[in-house]
Amino acid sequence: MKSITILIADDEAEISDLIELHLEKEGYRCIKVSNGLEAVSVVQTHSVDLAILDIMMPKMNGYDATRQIRAQHHLPIIFLSAKATDLDKITGLVNGADDYMTKPFNPMELVARVNAQLRRSTQLNQPATANKSVLEAGGLIIYPEQRTVSLYGETIEITPKEFDILYLLASHPKKVFSAENIFQQVWGDAYYEGSNTVMVHIRTLRKKLGEDIHKNKLIKTVWGVGYTFNG
């Protein structure tokens, strides 16, 4: 059985050591680095299954490291940061993180979140089935196997969570999903209130799809209810 490798990027050695201690008890292999540049390098040169990143790190912060990692890899990323406001959490998720924990933290809760993200990643990386066919609507093409999206022939750069939201809606055209339902299906484990998180992801997804300039909106808001795919 393949051993699971987890990257821990934090400039506080005591925190990295604590995380490593608890993850190794679960049977995971850990690689520890102290800045964002090293984190990007490790992902490029090692087979990493999940990354736990601090945000405020020297040389390269967690946001920039995540963007560079996301350019080529789809592994789950958890931010572990002292930045604790709701806006900080939403910013972290919009920048590509799959989950967000604040310091100080409960190591066992972090382990539970790691396990949840790895389970979800395993499910998403299963071979595509007939139920996951390419979807097309109004110049938009969604490729579930490659987890890529193109609009009028041009590839659109979207985060993993934005892809999951778009695919969920596009797979059920005209069905209305509440923000809570989207959060439950896309994030899986509701550790915190997700309605604002979903709203921000929908907003950035619409912008990337050019809905601020196109008349025919693919993602329609049903006021007081939720969102639906209008393709």
Side-chain angles (χ1 to χ4, degrees):
M1 182 176 178
K2 174 183 176 292
S3 62
I4 294 176
T5 300
I6 297 178
L7 169 65
I8 305 168
D10 199 304
D11 58 338
E12 296 183 65
E14 306 83 18
I15 291 179
S16 293
D17 291 343
L18 178 63
I19 297 171
E20 180 184 40
L21 175 66
H22 285 271
L23 290 177
E24 286 187 341
K25 287 181 181 179
E26 292 287 306
Y28 298 132
R29 172 176 175 260
C30 298
I31 300 176
K32 297 183 295 183
V33 298
S34 59
N35 63 70
L37 278 177
E38 291 177 336
V40 173
S41 176
V42 167
V43 172
Q44 291 174 341
T45 56
H46 295 72
S47 178
V48 175
D49 299 284
L50 180 144
I52 301 171
L53 306 181
D54 188 14
I55 292 176
M56 297 179 288
M57 293 186 290
K59 296 186 180 179
M60 178 184 290
N61 64 44
Y63 296 144
D64 291 339
T66 296
R67 281 191 284 270
Q68 291 205 22
I69 291 170
R70 284 281 181 244
Q72 295 181 315
H73 304 277
H74 295 293
L75 69 154
I77 295 175
I78 299 175
F79 277 151
L80 181 62
S81 175
K83 297 168 72 67
T85 69
D86 287 343
L87 179 59
D88 291 325
K89 294 176 183 179
I90 292 172
T91 300
L93 294 168
V94 169
N95 273 277
D98 297 285
D99 201 354
Y100 194 112
M101 277 192 74
T102 58
K103 301 175 183 178
F105 65 99
N106 183 325
M108 297 309 298
E109 182 183 354
L110 177 59
V111 170
R113 295 193 185 203
V114 166
N115 291 336
Q117 289 298 330
L118 288 171
R119 283 196 303 270
R120 179 162 182 78
S121 177
T122 299
Q123 293 169 359
L124 289 174
N125 288 322
Q126 292 297 321
T129 65
N131 292 328
K132 285 207 167 186
S133 56
V134 173
L135 301 177
E136 299 185 42
L140 177 73
I141 305 179
I142 306 172
Y143 302 92
E145 187 171 3
Q146 297 83 4
R147 293 180 61 78
T148 58
V149 174
S150 69
L151 184 64
Y152 300 112
E154 293 188 11
T155 299
I156 305 298
E157 297 295 333
I158 62 176
T159 68
K161 284 293 182 284
E162 289 167 355
F163 179 90
D164 291 340
I165 292 171
L166 181 60
Y167 190 82
L168 173 65
L169 296 177
S171 298
H172 304 83
K174 307 303 180 183
K175 178 178 178 178
V176 180
F177 290 86
S178 68
E180 291 76 14
N181 190 220
I182 293 172
F183 185 79
Q184 187 177 52
Q185 295 199 45
V186 171
W187 274 266
D189 296 273
Y191 291 106
Y192 45 79
E193 290 294 329
S195 57
N196 287 338
T197 301
V198 170
M199 180 182 68
V200 172
H201 277 73
I202 292 285
R203 184 188 305 152
T204 57
L205 184 55
R206 282 172 163 165
K207 186 174 181 179
K208 291 178 180 181
L209 294 175
E211 295 202 350
D212 51 342
I213 57 176
H214 296 133
K215 292 183 179 180
N216 297 324
K217 298 185 183 302
L218 291 170
I219 301 175
K220 181 181 177 182
T221 298
V222 180
W223 296 108
V225 183
Y227 304 94
T228 186
F229 189 78
N230 199 34

